[in-house]
Amino acid sequence: MKLYLDEGLKYSPEQMKLTGEFILFCADSLPIEGEFEVHLVNSREPHGISTTALYEVGNNCCKVYCKNRALADVLRSVAHEMTHTMQDQLGILTGNIRDAGGFHEDQANAKAGELIKLFAKSSPERKMIYESLKRSLA
C-alpha cells in the first residue's frame, strides 16, 4: 500500500495514524491483493476528481478529495473507492458503471458504511474517526 497526502492537508498525527490503520483494515476486509495507492488530496482538478473521489480502473489507485471534510466522511470515501478496487480485481467492474445507483455503486456505498462501523467498533481509540481533533483537516 502506498498512501499519498497532499502537503496542504493539515492532518494531526492521530488522524494520520487512524487513516493508515483504516486503509489497511479495508484492504484486509475486502480483500484487496497486491499493491494499491490511496491519494488524499487538497484539490480536485489536478487529480481529475469531479465529486469527492474516484477510482482509476485498472490502476489500483484511489483518489479522495479531503479539503474541509470530516475524517469519517473522508474515510467513507476511501472505503467506497477501495471497494471499486476489489471489484476491479475480481473482474466485475465491467459494463455500464453509473455514477449513482446500480450494482457497482450500491455495493461500494454499502461496504463503505459497513467498514466505517466495523473499524470504529474494533477498538476504543478508533472511535476517534467520529471526533474533531485539535488540528483539523484543511
Side-chain angles (χ1 to χ4, degrees), residues 22 75-77 79-80 83 106-120 130:
F22 181 74
L75 297 181
R76 187 209 55 78
S77 290
H80 178 104
T83 301
D106 290 349
Q107 182 183 39
N109 286 327
K111 283 306 273 183
E114 176 186 350
L115 289 166
I116 284 286
K117 289 180 182 180
L118 291 173
F119 179 78
Y130 297 122

Side-chain angles (χ1 to χ4, degrees), residues 1 4 31 41 44 51 54 60 66 69 78 88 90 96 98 101 104 117 125 132 136 138:
M1 183 249 318
Y4 298 93
V41 303
R44 287 184 183 104
T51 57
L54 64 78
N60 289 334
C66 302
R69 295 178 66 197
V78 167
D88 195 12
L90 292 174
N96 183 23
R98 299 172 15 188
H104 303 102
K117 289 180 182 180
E125 300 81 32
S132 292
S136 63

Side-chain angles (χ1 to χ4, degrees), residues 88-138:
D88 195 12
Q89 289 185 356
L90 292 174
I92 61 172
L93 197 58
T94 60
N96 183 23
I97 302 168
R98 299 172 15 188
D99 283 342
F103 171 78
H104 303 102
E105 284 300 296
D106 290 349
Q107 182 183 39
N109 286 327
K111 283 306 273 183
E114 176 186 350
L115 289 166
I116 284 286
K117 289 180 182 180
L118 291 173
F119 179 78
K121 290 179 179 185
S122 66
S123 80
E125 300 81 32
R126 289 177 169 180
K127 288 185 176 160
M128 291 301 296
I129 62 170
Y130 297 122
E131 305 298 326
S132 292
L133 301 178
K134 283 187 178 185
R135 286 172 270 169
S136 63
L137 300 175

Side-chain angles (χ1 to χ4, degrees), residues 18-105:
L18 285 169
T19 299
E21 288 177 6
F22 181 74
I23 292 167
L24 293 174
F25 180 86
C26 289
D28 288 342
S29 298
L30 286 167
I32 293 173
E33 300 197 5
E35 288 296 314
F36 64 95
E37 296 179 6
V38 176
H39 296 254
L40 303 181
V41 303
N42 196 11
S43 178
R44 287 184 183 104
E45 293 78 23
H47 301 281
I49 301 170
S50 60
T51 57
T52 56
L54 64 78
Y55 171 68
E56 293 180 352
V57 177
N59 289 333
N60 289 334
C61 182
C62 306
K63 295 182 178 181
V64 178
Y65 177 66
C66 302
K67 188 175 179 180
N68 297 322
R69 295 178 66 197
L71 183 59
D73 186 44
V74 167
L75 297 181
R76 187 209 55 78
S77 290
V78 167
H80 178 104
E81 300 309 327
M82 288 183 71
T83 301
H84 289 320
T85 304
M86 176 200 69
Q87 292 169 340
D88 195 12
Q89 289 185 356
L90 292 174
I92 61 172
L93 197 58
T94 60
N96 183 23
I97 302 168
R98 299 172 15 188
D99 283 342
F103 171 78
H104 303 102
E105 284 300 296

